[in-house]
Amino acid sequence: MKHWDGWEEIREVLPSFDGVYLDTMSKFSYEVLELPPYYDSKACLTAVFLYSVDGKMYDLMLRFIGISSLKMDMDVGFGDIQISPEQIEDIQFYVKDYEHGSVSFYCEAISYLGVEENTEESLKLALQKWRKLERMVEPDWQEVTETLDMLVDFVDRPVVTEILLRSVVHENKGIRDSGYEYLWYLDDSRAFELACTGLKSEDALRRINCLEYLAKWGEAEIVPQLLDRVENDDDELVRCYAAEAVGHNAEAEAIPVLQRLLLQEQDDVAKIGMLYGLALLGYRELDSFFENLQNDYYIVRIRAALYLTEIARDDATVLPSIVDKLKLCRELEETVAVREALDYALDELAN
């Protein structure tokens, strides 16, 4: 944009920036500078504005060059700023606070100085959104998820830990369901206890959320509970995830138990999880995973691709054979969801 120094650069960093409206001005300084190309003395106002993009807050730094008719009221906050075109001799812009009327001036040009995330303001924004959602009778599920996505960036903060723990026991079912998905981020004894208790939930998805948590943060002491889920749960996908969790938490002594359960199992979804649990414990049957890439059920083919990706990451010696098999299956696969899973696997392994 004409009379904007760095306009293309700012649009690359902040594609939604329109050059008209800015959020609150948080900092500013007034100084007379000798700027290129002619090094004439220019009255300048250098300011930092809060700018929100995708749930994060940024400090946007701009310099207003050749300012005149500056009016400023220090008794009120600097609210929303509007930049209007104004062509009077060398003057190109009129800048004003249209919320409080706290500042106004004319200027000859505007220069972009940089942008960086303001983590404290990002956290403040996420907390404000969450507190609003918590008070709603029926909060929008997508908003709940988006806000939790914002909050987990600050999972090391005690206030966020408490929010995630509280969400799991919230009176609203939608918040509870979302909360269990985000429990995965917490290395906390209270989260561990909630996950163990959640294994007895009547909701299969709830049990899977808890198994995902225990696969990451579990301990050997919970292996008997996990094996009980593998053997007795009435949901095949839960049995699959439970076998995975066994592989992450058990020792080699659990191999015969999983092998026995694998022989007893009738469902292919549960079987593929048991095969991966055994692979994590050191007993790997690569050909069985390859066979499952041609399984009649697309969920099994997806999980086989996922597990083979993890195996190849951990063992470079089998990487070439796994990549070759995944490529061949990708050429023959007709189901969109499976093709996407195979594309993801091949991209991950290529990197």
Side-chain angles (χ1 to χ4, degrees):
M1 184 182 289
K2 190 176 181 181
H3 307 296
W4 270 85
D5 179 23
W7 175 256
E8 296 300 329
E9 185 180 354
I10 192 174
R11 289 283 292 172
E12 287 179 7
V13 179
L14 303 173
S16 62
F17 184 71
D18 61 7
V20 177
Y21 294 104
L22 292 164
D23 290 336
T24 303
M25 183 165 64
S26 59
K27 300 177 184 177
F28 70 92
S29 62
Y30 175 85
E31 51 196 334
V32 177
L33 300 173
E34 295 181 351
L35 300 172
Y38 304 113
Y39 292 94
D40 293 335
S41 294
K42 299 285 185 179
C44 299
L45 186 69
T46 303
V48 177
F49 297 90
L50 294 177
Y51 196 84
S52 175
V53 179
D54 297 331
K56 293 186 177 181
M57 297 296 291
Y58 294 86
D59 284 335
L60 172 61
M61 290 156 277
L62 299 177
R63 174 171 290 150
F64 301 92
I65 301 168
I67 66 171
S68 58
S69 303
L70 174 63
K71 298 178 181 178
M72 188 170 293
D73 184 353
M74 302 296 290
D75 293 330
V76 295
F78 298 114
D80 296 330
I81 305 297
Q82 180 178 8
I83 302 173
S84 307
E86 186 71 65
Q87 295 185 357
I88 307 173
E89 297 181 352
D90 292 332
I91 300 300
Q92 301 298 331
F93 300 104
Y94 176 58
V95 182
K96 68 174 181 178
D97 174 354
Y98 65 88
E99 182 179 13
H100 302 302
S102 60
V103 64
S104 65
F105 57 86
Y106 295 92
C107 70
E108 300 174 12
I110 302 173
S111 179
Y112 165 64
L113 301 182
V115 64
E116 59 185 34
E117 184 182 354
N118 187 320
T119 56
E120 294 306 314
E121 288 294 334
S122 293
L123 175 58
K124 184 190 298 184
L125 176 64
L127 292 173
Q128 289 172 347
K129 287 177 175 288
W130 182 255
R131 285 162 183 158
K132 179 180 177 182
L133 289 167
E134 275 192 311
R135 293 193 295 268
M136 293 182 178
V137 176
E138 291 295 332
D140 180 76
W141 176 83
Q142 185 173 351
E143 280 192 58
V144 170
T145 301
E146 290 173 354
T147 307
L148 286 170
D149 280 337
M150 294 164 61
L151 285 169
V152 294
D153 287 339
F154 305 94
V155 73
D156 58 324
R157 307 290 186 95
V159 63
V160 174
T161 296
E162 295 302 322
I163 284 174
L164 295 180
L165 289 169
R166 193 167 64 244
S167 68
V168 173
V169 294
H170 197 275
E171 60 184 12
N172 181 273
K173 183 180 183 301
I175 289 180
R176 285 201 308 275
D177 290 343
S178 297
Y180 267 99
E181 292 185 30
Y182 288 85
L183 200 65
W184 187 83
Y185 292 93
L186 294 178
D187 181 12
D188 188 286
S189 60
R190 293 167 295 173
F192 179 82
E193 292 299 325
L194 285 168
C196 290
T197 302
L199 290 180
K200 300 174 184 178
S201 170
E202 295 182 359
D203 187 333
L205 181 57
R206 179 73 49 80
R207 300 198 298 276
I208 288 173
N209 293 149
C210 294
L211 287 165
E212 287 180 311
Y213 177 90
L214 293 171
K216 181 178 181 181
W217 301 109
E219 301 172 358
E221 66 187 56
I222 64 162
V223 170
Q225 295 180 62
L226 300 177
L227 286 170
D228 178 66
R229 288 295 102 195
V230 177
E231 185 168 12
N232 299 311
D233 203 282
D234 59 5
D235 187 282
E236 64 278 5
L237 195 55
V238 173
R239 298 198 297 276
C240 172
Y241 276 91
E244 245 189 87
V246 169
H248 283 290
N249 289 283
E251 301 293 338
E253 289 79 6
I255 290 176
V257 181
L258 269 187
Q259 288 175 321
R260 173 179 62 82
L261 295 174
L262 178 61
L263 289 173
Q264 296 174 357
E265 181 60 58
Q266 300 298 310
D267 186 271
D268 287 347
V269 173
K271 283 182 177 180
I272 191 70
M274 294 179 191
L275 285 170
Y276 186 56
L278 286 167
L280 290 170
L281 293 173
Y283 186 86
R284 185 172 66 204
E285 295 182 347
L286 208 56
D287 288 340
S288 296
F289 287 100
F290 290 158
E291 290 172 9
N292 276 288
L293 287 172
Q294 277 87 43
N295 191 279
D296 291 338
Y297 189 24
Y298 77 98
I299 293 294
V300 176
R301 300 200 299 278
I302 288 174
R303 298 208 70 78
L306 171 66
Y307 294 148
L308 284 168
T309 303
E310 297 301 319
I311 290 170
R313 279 175 174 160
D314 293 337
D315 186 353
T317 63
V318 298
L319 175 62
S321 60
I322 289 176
V323 169
D324 289 344
K325 184 63 70 171
L326 292 175
K327 285 181 178 178
L328 177 60
C329 291
R330 175 63 179 83
E331 292 175 4
L332 301 174
E333 183 58 57
E334 296 180 353
T335 304
V336 173
V338 183
R339 288 204 304 269
E340 290 177 350
L342 290 165
D343 286 338
Y344 171 80
L346 290 168
D347 287 344
E348 288 291 304
L349 295 179
N351 293 328

